[in-house]
Amino acid sequence: MKSVYACACWPSVLLRGAIFLAFWIVLTLGNPNDLFVGVIAAIVATMTSLYLLPAREGHISLMALVKFATHFFYQSLIAGFDVAKRAFDPRLPLRPGYVQFPCKLAQGPARNAFCALSSLLPGTVPVESDQSGVVLVHCLDISQPVAAQLIEDEVLFSRIVRRAGDDG
């Protein structure tokens, strides 16, 4: 494992530490008496997270993140309305089943994060992924273009994180 001290990943390290400290503050309801222990806990949590998931050199595209978040929010609203419409329809027009989605993200943290985000969309849940990149997704209606939508989402998601040396 590359040493954190020799890494140009300090923004990532500081961001993780800030998130852990913010989480501590939320848990303790901002009690100033607990702040010293919170700083120690945040440092230990950050070191542990770096050991378990080392920081990588690269950057996050803020514009791509905003585009993805906007798209994701819109898709969540549309999917939520669709699920609600189906739930309140007396005929309950469901055609549940599985669709295969050819994911181009490398197996690992990026694909896992994408699948976790995809599971937040109403009506779809990624259930497994194989070595070749095919993700099996359970959906409420297999007649809908679920795989096509996931491909579009994946393209937007893949633009968020670029590793050092990537083109584009």
Side-chain angles (χ1 to χ4, degrees):
M1 178 173 99
K2 188 175 182 181
S3 169
V4 174
Y5 303 108
C7 178
C9 306
W10 278 103
S12 174
V13 172
L14 294 175
L15 179 63
R16 288 184 195 197
I19 290 170
F20 287 126
L21 183 59
F23 185 59
W24 180 270
I25 290 170
V26 168
L27 287 177
T28 61
L29 302 175
N31 186 345
N33 295 333
D34 296 327
L35 190 57
F36 178 74
V37 174
V39 169
I40 301 299
I43 290 169
V44 171
T46 301
M47 291 172 57
T48 304
S49 80
L50 289 167
Y51 176 76
L52 296 173
L53 186 63
R56 295 184 181 172
E57 293 181 23
H59 70 280
I60 292 178
S61 168
L62 186 58
M63 184 56 84
L65 181 60
V66 169
K67 284 181 183 178
F68 180 79
T70 303
H71 173 79
F72 186 83
F73 178 71
Y74 176 74
Q75 286 302 115
S76 294
L77 285 175
I78 298 299
F81 282 125
D82 181 58
V83 169
K85 180 181 75 173
R86 292 172 192 275
F88 290 114
D89 189 330
R91 294 174 284 125
L92 198 63
L94 297 177
R95 293 188 54 208
Y98 295 94
V99 296
Q100 292 185 340
F101 157 60
C103 188
K104 291 186 175 35
L105 293 168
Q107 190 171 11
R111 187 186 304 171
N112 293 344
F114 177 72
C115 287
L117 283 170
S118 297
S119 73
L120 296 176
L121 289 172
T124 60
V125 178
V127 292
E128 72 178 8
S129 174
D130 65 17
Q131 296 288 342
S132 68
V134 174
V135 177
L136 190 63
V137 180
H138 182 272
C139 57
L140 291 179
D141 189 350
I142 58 172
S143 67
Q144 298 295 312
V146 174
Q149 184 60 52
L150 287 170
I151 289 170
E152 182 182 344
D153 295 347
E154 179 190 29
V155 168
L156 291 172
F157 180 82
S158 66
R159 292 178 183 160
I160 295 172
V161 179
R162 302 233 188 253
R163 292 190 181 133
D166 282 356
D167 294 330

